[in-house]
Amino acid sequence: MFCKNTKTIFRNSNGQISYCKKCKIYYINFNNILLELYIEELMYLRDLVLNQEKWVARNKKLIKSETIPIPTLQENLILLFDKNQIEGFKELLFMKKLSNKIFMYYDYSLN
C-alpha cells in the first residue's frame, strides 16, 4: 500500500494519482478502485484506454452498450466504466484535464 514517500501528483473529482519515488510505483485511486502500477504497467493501461473502441467491439455481446470495458494485465479482471467515468479515468492516467473543470496539475515526468 502507500508508503511515506508517496506524493499526490494529480487529482480530479473521481480520484487521484500518486507516485512513490522510492518504490517507483504509481497509485491510481479512482472511485472504488485502487491500482498500483509500475511505469510500464501505467503506459500499457494508457494504451488500452486510448484503444477502448477495440474492447467495446470485442465485448459487445457480453456487456451492455453504454459500458466501456478496459482489460487489465490480470486476465480475469476487466474494469467497467460509463462514458463519464472513462473521461475522469483518462484525466488521471494522462494527468491533465480533459474538460473545463479545474484540477491540480503536477508535471512528474513519466520517463
Side-chain angles (χ1 to χ4, degrees), residues 9-18 26-30 42 45-46 49-50 52 81 83-106 110:
I9 54 176
F10 185 83
R11 124 183 22 234
N12 68 15
S13 60
N14 294 306
Q16 66 184 34
I17 183 167
S18 304
Y26 289 87
Y27 297 93
I28 300 172
N29 182 351
F30 182 80
L42 176 61
L45 184 58
R46 283 177 164 188
V49 169
L50 285 176
Q52 67 192 27
F81 299 93
K83 291 180 182 184
N84 290 328
Q85 290 171 329
I86 198 70
E87 291 306 309
F89 193 61
K90 281 184 196 177
E91 287 178 349
L92 289 179
L93 290 180
F94 293 95
M95 293 177 261
K96 57 179 138 180
K97 67 179 184 139
L98 300 175
S99 66
N100 58 5
K101 299 175 191 171
I102 297 173
F103 300 109
M104 293 173 55
Y105 177 71
Y106 298 93
L110 296 178

Side-chain angles (χ1 to χ4, degrees), residues 13-101:
S13 60
N14 294 306
Q16 66 184 34
I17 183 167
S18 304
Y19 181 70
C20 175
K21 288 184 180 183
K22 181 179 178 185
C23 303
K24 299 188 185 313
I25 293 178
Y26 289 87
Y27 297 93
I28 300 172
N29 182 351
F30 182 80
N31 291 334
N32 63 341
I33 300 169
L34 176 62
L35 302 172
E36 297 178 3
L37 305 171
Y38 289 102
I39 186 63
E40 299 83 11
E41 296 166 323
L42 176 61
M43 300 308 282
Y44 178 77
L45 184 58
R46 283 177 164 188
D47 186 54
L48 291 174
V49 169
L50 285 176
N51 295 302
Q52 67 192 27
E53 294 81 19
K54 172 182 171 182
W55 303 108
V56 170
R58 182 180 282 183
N59 294 291
K60 189 182 276 185
K61 294 180 182 177
L62 297 173
I63 300 169
K64 56 185 178 175
S65 62
E66 61 273 1
T67 303
I68 300 165
I70 302 295
T72 65
L73 291 173
Q74 185 174 327
E75 290 184 25
N76 63 346
L77 178 64
I78 296 175
L79 304 175
L80 300 175
F81 299 93
D82 65 25
K83 291 180 182 184
N84 290 328
Q85 290 171 329
I86 198 70
E87 291 306 309
F89 193 61
K90 281 184 196 177
E91 287 178 349
L92 289 179
L93 290 180
F94 293 95
M95 293 177 261
K96 57 179 138 180
K97 67 179 184 139
L98 300 175
S99 66
N100 58 5
K101 299 175 191 171

